[in-house]
Amino acid sequence: MRVLVLGGAGRMAYAIIKDLLEIDTDEVSKVIIADINCEKVKNVADEFQNEKLIPACIDIAEYAKLVNLMKGSDVVIDSTYVSSTTSLSIIKAALEARVHVINLGQLDKEEEKQAATMSDAFTKAGLSGILGLGSSPGISNLMVRELADRLDTMSTVEISFAYESIGTSTLPIKEPFAFAFEEFVESPLIFQDAKFVTVPPQSGIQYIEFPAPIGMRPAFCIPHSEVWTVAETFEEKGVKNVSVRAGFTPDFVKKVNFLVDCGLMSHKPLKVGDIDVIPSDVLFSCLVQLPPEQGEVVDYGCTRVVAVGTKNKEKVEYTALMLNRPYKGLTNAQHRTGHSPSIAARMLYRGEIKTKGVFPPERGVDPKPFFRELAKRELEIAVTSSAFVC
């Protein structure tokens, strides 16, 4: 199996590469890691010191070069953190190159529709384009699929996640969480009473008890693609309510809201002297310049899915939990996110994912073999049920 990893110098790519080169290595022949940062991607390859790993330098905005680089690969994994326009371009390039593609990130509802317009062409070419297969979206979608398959009807789906770091940290705020800043200021779309509605930022707070060492967290609604893909996928099950909530650490919430209150999350131009600047661009540029984290940091994460419905005409509530613990030199974000596309790439190569077209994970990936692979990587899904007495 020949795999191309785009965004190959990034944090999530590191976990993907590590998985491909250290687990079930016999079926992996080549891993090409491509990034616009030529020096950094070469350094990543040097760190692994593996003859199967090949660095490549590319600007993915150069479409023709991107298509050419994809050709000959079995699977392309898009781990870039760029605009949704670029993500759609990568999907289109994969179709032209005749290669399966897995996308880690999430598209908004309209962008998902644009990607779906390529589904028929992917199907005719015998290809699969899996949208949003990381942690959330990704594993969370498949947890929903697992619970939905246990229910005759499913009315409500509540997805939530939380993190906890134990130990010391030299960073004022963790740069890997910078992508989450937008979730504090965007108005999330939720599915409520069988309708898509927009709610205010940081609203819909629920106090959720996560497993130790996380504990009780106030979790608020955030914009996530599971809302619309789950609502549409399980329409026939009778889904009427879908939401995604994040239970960030109190310290992180306090710091991000301070930055928001200072206007540093604004995307509107601000004149500083004779120069127009975008405050959020300045903030993220500063975060990127933070020195590498020092000290011992032991972090945990938990993804939680609750599904309410009926089974044999009785009301039932299922809860699925995935608690990820410290793992082999990866951060909790890398651990819970980076294995998913690597697992799916192997499943595609083995012919275990038979669905063709462009689709979110819950529409084409069987959760049971996927979860077995996760368990090999110390990511286990536990499911409990609660019956209602009346």
Side-chain angles (χ1 to χ4, degrees):
M1 176 177 67
R2 181 184 173 106
V3 182
L4 169 63
V5 181
L6 299 175
R11 294 176 185 271
M12 292 306 113
Y14 184 88
I16 296 166
I17 296 162
K18 188 176 177 67
D19 189 293
L20 289 169
L21 296 179
E22 295 181 1
I23 301 175
D24 296 331
T25 58
D26 289 347
E27 62 187 345
V28 178
S29 58
K30 294 290 181 186
V31 179
I32 301 97
I33 56 173
D35 201 283
I36 195 171
N37 190 324
C38 306
E39 181 180 359
K40 192 173 180 180
V41 78
K42 183 179 182 301
N43 290 340
V44 172
D46 290 342
E47 179 180 346
F48 279 96
Q49 287 292 301
N50 191 305
E51 61 183 10
K52 293 181 179 181
L53 194 60
I54 302 172
C57 187
I58 189 171
D59 180 350
I60 56 178
E62 298 183 35
Y63 183 79
K65 291 182 179 179
L66 178 61
V67 172
N68 189 57
L69 180 64
M70 288 181 175
K71 289 179 179 177
S73 293
D74 296 292
V75 183
V76 170
I77 298 175
D78 174 14
S79 69
T80 59
Y81 287 99
V82 289
S83 70
S84 55
T85 302
T86 306
S87 297
L88 291 169
S89 178
I90 289 170
I91 297 168
K92 181 181 177 183
L95 174 61
E96 188 170 337
R98 295 296 187 266
V99 59
H100 300 299
V101 62
I102 301 168
N103 182 307
L104 268 72
Q106 59 177 352
L107 304 175
D108 68 26
K109 196 170 186 296
E110 292 305 313
E111 292 156 354
E112 195 106 17
K113 286 182 180 179
Q114 292 180 50
T117 62
M118 294 182 264
S119 189
D120 287 346
F122 265 79
T123 300
K124 289 177 183 178
L127 297 171
S128 301
I130 308 176
L131 303 180
L133 187 50
S135 172
S136 179
I139 295 174
S140 56
N141 301 64
L142 296 179
M143 292 166 75
V144 176
R145 171 89 267 171
E146 174 65 26
L147 301 187
D149 289 346
R150 298 176 183 224
L151 291 164
D152 299 326
T153 69
M154 185 171 67
S155 59
T156 298
V157 176
E158 295 180 346
I159 301 168
S160 57
F161 53 84
Y163 321 108
E164 181 62 57
S165 293
I166 299 173
T168 59
S169 172
T170 58
L171 298 182
I173 195 164
K174 290 193 172 186
E175 188 272 332
F177 281 130
F179 68 90
F181 287 15
E182 296 288 350
E183 295 171 350
F184 283 73
V185 295
E186 287 187 13
S187 297
L189 188 71
I190 66 171
F191 196 57
Q192 187 176 68
D193 297 328
K195 295 180 181 178
F196 289 106
V197 296
T198 301
V199 297
Q202 302 185 47
S203 64
I205 291 178
Q206 289 184 357
Y207 287 85
I208 300 172
E209 183 69 38
F210 291 94
I214 300 170
M216 181 70 74
R217 286 287 172 80
F220 56 77
C221 291
I222 59 172
H224 256 233
S225 62
E226 295 101 312
V227 168
W228 46 90
T229 67
V230 166
E232 293 168 356
T233 298
F234 300 106
E235 181 180 4
E236 292 184 0
K237 286 271 186 179
V239 170
K240 293 181 174 60
N241 303 287
V242 186
S243 58
V244 180
R245 289 176 171 83
F248 297 111
T249 63
D251 178 67
F252 183 72
V253 172
K254 183 178 179 181
K255 288 178 177 178
V256 174
N257 277 328
F258 174 76
L259 297 173
V260 172
D261 291 343
C262 288
L264 290 171
M265 275 302 300
S266 173
H267 299 299
K268 295 181 179 179
L270 175 68
K271 188 169 287 296
V272 180
D274 296 328
I275 302 173
D276 286 332
V277 299
I278 305 295
S280 60
D281 289 348
V282 176
L283 172 62
F284 293 142
S285 295
C286 290
L287 289 172
V288 170
Q289 299 304 315
L290 289 173
E293 187 168 25
Q294 304 296 321
E296 182 182 4
V297 177
V298 180
D299 53 359
Y300 295 77
C302 182
T303 302
R304 177 179 182 267
V305 176
V306 176
V308 180
T310 63
K311 186 176 180 65
N312 300 324
K313 298 183 180 180
E314 298 290 335
K315 188 176 180 181
V316 180
E317 177 180 289
Y318 282 110
T319 300
L321 285 175
M322 182 185 74
L323 176 66
N324 57 291
R325 302 171 178 86
Y327 179 86
K328 300 178 182 178
L330 299 179
T331 67
N332 113 75
Q334 289 173 311
H335 183 202
R336 70 178 187 271
T337 306
H339 296 295
S340 297
S342 176
I343 290 170
R346 289 179 171 90
M347 291 177 71
L348 283 167
Y349 183 71
R350 296 168 187 162
E352 295 173 355
I353 297 175
K354 301 186 184 301
T355 304
K356 307 303 177 187
V358 177
F359 52 89
E362 68 270 28
R363 292 183 199 165
V365 180
D366 186 344
K368 287 182 169 56
F370 188 91
F371 289 164
R372 284 195 293 270
E373 290 296 325
L374 280 181
K376 292 180 184 178
R377 294 145 173 94
E378 300 179 20
L379 291 168
E380 297 180 342
I381 313 293
V383 177
T384 57
S385 63
S386 302
F388 293 78
V389 295
C390 61

